[in-house]
Amino acid sequence: MKIKDIGEFGFISRLASRCHQTLPEGVVGIGDDCAIIPAPDGRQYAISTDLLVEGVHFLTSEISGNDLGYKALAVNLSDLAAAGAEPCGAFLSMALPEDADVDFLDSFADGFNGLAQQFHCPLLGGDTTLSKQGIIINICVIGIRDGNITVSRANSQPGDIVCVTGALGDSGAGLEYILAPDKERDSTANALIRRHLHPTSRIEEGKFLARCKYVHSMMDLSDGLASDIKHILERSGVSADIELDKLPTSPLLQQKYGNSPSKLYHYALHGGEDYELLVTVDSKHFADLNVEYQKRFGTALYAVGRIVCGDPQHVNYIENGFGTMPIGSSWEHFC
Ligand code: ADP
Ligand code: MG
C-alpha cells in the first residue's frame, strides 16, 4: 500500500494510533489546529507547526522572498487564530539548496519580520540545513490563551450556526493564475493573486470569538470549506447543511465569475488557502454575537449553514432552499 492510497488524513490517523499515549490532564494533542498545554499561571499554551515545500506550496519564480516570508508565518499564525491564542513567538527551520539566492533570503526575512512585528511574535530560534532539492520551510508558533477557553473542532452541537469570517475563493482563483503563467492577467487577476500570496491571519477575531462561550468550534480554512468542515463533523460526531447561495464571495471573484454561480461555489468550497475562520455558534446567541463582532471588526460573520444530526462523513448541500449535489473536490496531498 502507498501513502496515496490512504491520503494525508489516513496517514495522520495511522500515525496517531501507533504513537498513542495517555496525555496529562488539560493537554490536547493531535486533531485540532493547535496542541494545548496548560501554563503554570493557569492560562494555556497553544502550539502549531506548518511546512511549506518549494514546488508544492510555492514556486520561487512566482513569489517574492518578501511574500514568501510573510505567507510562511501568516499560515502558522492562522492556526493560533483558530485556537483563539495570542502569539508569543516563532521558530523557523529552513532547508536550503546551496545555490539559494541570499537577496531572496534577506527579502524572506523582511517579509517574515514585518508580520512578526505586527503580531508581536518574535523569532526565537530554528534550524538551518542543506537541501538537495528546493527550499523547505518549517515554522512552529507558540501562543497563549485564557485557561477557560474550550473551543475545539470537537465541540460542535446540532443546531449550531456554521459561519465564516470573510469571503472565500479568492486565493484558489489566484492560484489558478499562478499555475498558468500564460493566462492573461488583468488587474482583477493580479488582485486575486495578491490574495493568494498575502492571506490575513484572523488573530484578533479568533481571540474575540474563542472567549465567547457560545462559540463551540473553530478552525482555519486551509484546504477549502468542503474538506475542512469534515474535520469538525468527524470530531464532533455531527453532520452539516451548507447553503451554497450563502457562501460569501468578494467583489473581485464576482467580477471574474459572477455570471457563473457554479464557478463561484467551486472556488468558495474548494479553492483553499483563504485562512478565514470557520466557526460554529449556538444559534440562540448568533445574532447578538454578530452585532458585537461587527462593531469590533467592521465586517460580519457570514452564516453559511447549520450543524445537524447525521453521518459525520456527509455534508448536505442546499441551493436556494433545495438539496443539491456537491460539486468538485478540494486539495488533497498525495492523491
Ligand atoms: P492544519 O491544516 O491546521 O495545519 P492539519 O490538517 O495539517 O492541520 O493537521 C491535522 C492535525 O494533525 C493537527 O492536529 C496536526 O498537528 C496533526 N498532524 C499533522 N501531521 C502530523 C504529523 N506528521 N505528526 C503528528 N501530528 C500531525
Ligand atoms: Mg489549521
Side-chain angles (χ1 to χ4, degrees), residues 7-329:
E8 177 188 359
F9 297 104
F11 166 72
I12 295 170
S13 49
R14 275 173 90 94
L15 180 70
S17 65
R18 293 176 85 93
C19 300
H20 177 73
Q21 288 186 42
T22 305
L23 299 175
E25 198 182 329
V27 173
V28 179
I30 294 174
D32 263 303
D33 294 275
C34 289
I36 302 297
I37 299 178
D41 65 359
R43 290 187 293 169
Q44 301 171 337
Y45 288 116
I47 302 159
S48 185
T49 184
D50 253 314
L51 193 60
L52 278 85
V53 176
E54 183 175 346
V56 178
H57 296 96
F58 63 91
L59 302 168
T60 40
S61 56
E62 296 293 329
I63 191 167
S64 68
N66 197 290
D67 284 341
L68 183 58
Y70 173 99
K71 188 167 175 181
L73 182 58
V75 302
N76 278 272
L77 291 178
S78 179
D79 281 325
L80 290 185
E86 165 113 29
C88 300
F91 289 79
L92 167 64
S93 298
M94 302 182 85
L96 301 168
E98 60 184 13
D99 61 352
D101 184 76
V102 174
D103 285 340
F104 183 89
L105 296 175
D106 283 347
S107 153
F108 175 94
D110 292 343
F112 178 100
N113 190 49
L115 189 63
Q117 298 259 6
Q118 184 187 333
F119 286 109
H120 311 291
C121 182
L123 180 61
L124 300 177
D127 197 15
T128 307
T129 184
L130 173 70
S131 164
K132 289 287 182 189
Q133 207 182 5
I135 298 176
I136 300 170
I137 301 159
N138 173 248
I139 293 178
C140 172
V141 282
I142 301 171
I144 194 143
R145 67 183 196 182
D146 292 345
N148 58 355
I149 289 178
T150 56
V151 71
S152 149
R153 291 181 184 180
N155 286 352
S156 286
Q157 290 162 29
D160 282 2
I161 300 284
V162 178
C163 58
V164 294
T165 52
L168 306 178
D170 285 1
S171 177
L175 177 62
E176 279 197 0
Y177 281 97
I178 291 175
L179 295 178
D182 296 339
K183 199 167 157 183
E184 198 184 323
R185 295 179 183 181
D186 57 12
S187 61
T188 310
N190 285 328
L192 289 169
I193 291 171
R194 187 86 199 128
R195 294 270 291 155
H196 177 78
L197 298 177
H198 242 245
T200 306
S201 316
R202 301 280 178 206
I203 289 286
E204 290 307 320
E205 293 87 339
K207 278 164 52 187
F208 168 77
L209 290 166
R211 284 199 193 111
C212 169
K213 65 179 183 210
Y214 304 117
V215 170
H216 294 153
S217 285
M218 198 147 74
M219 70 179 295
D220 67 325
L221 289 169
S222 50
D223 293 341
L225 186 143
S227 132
D228 285 331
I229 195 171
K230 290 193 173 168
H231 298 305
I232 287 181
L233 304 184
E234 271 165 32
R235 299 221 37 230
S236 302
V238 292
S239 192
D241 291 347
I242 295 295
E243 300 192 53
L244 298 177
D245 46 299
K246 302 261 171 66
L247 294 170
T249 51
S250 71
L252 283 175
L253 203 66
Q254 289 165 22
Q255 234 166 293
K256 270 271 168 237
Y257 303 109
N259 55 358
S260 167
S262 63
K263 272 253 168 201
L264 289 177
Y265 300 158
H266 169 80
Y267 287 117
L269 286 176
H270 305 298
E273 298 208 66
D274 289 311
Y275 297 103
E276 296 294 347
L277 297 175
L278 175 65
V279 190
T280 86
V281 186
D282 183 331
S283 60
K284 292 187 287 300
H285 301 276
F286 177 74
D288 288 347
L289 176 69
N290 208 359
V291 169
E292 187 58 33
Y293 183 91
Q294 287 181 51
K295 251 192 250 163
R296 270 171 194 254
F297 300 109
T299 58
L301 291 169
Y302 300 91
V304 298
R306 218 174 242 279
I307 297 294
V308 294
C309 295
D311 176 1
Q313 298 291 335
H314 189 72
V315 179
N316 310 303
Y317 288 101
I318 297 165
E319 187 179 6
N320 301 319
F322 295 97
T324 183
M325 297 296 286
I327 34 166
S329 59

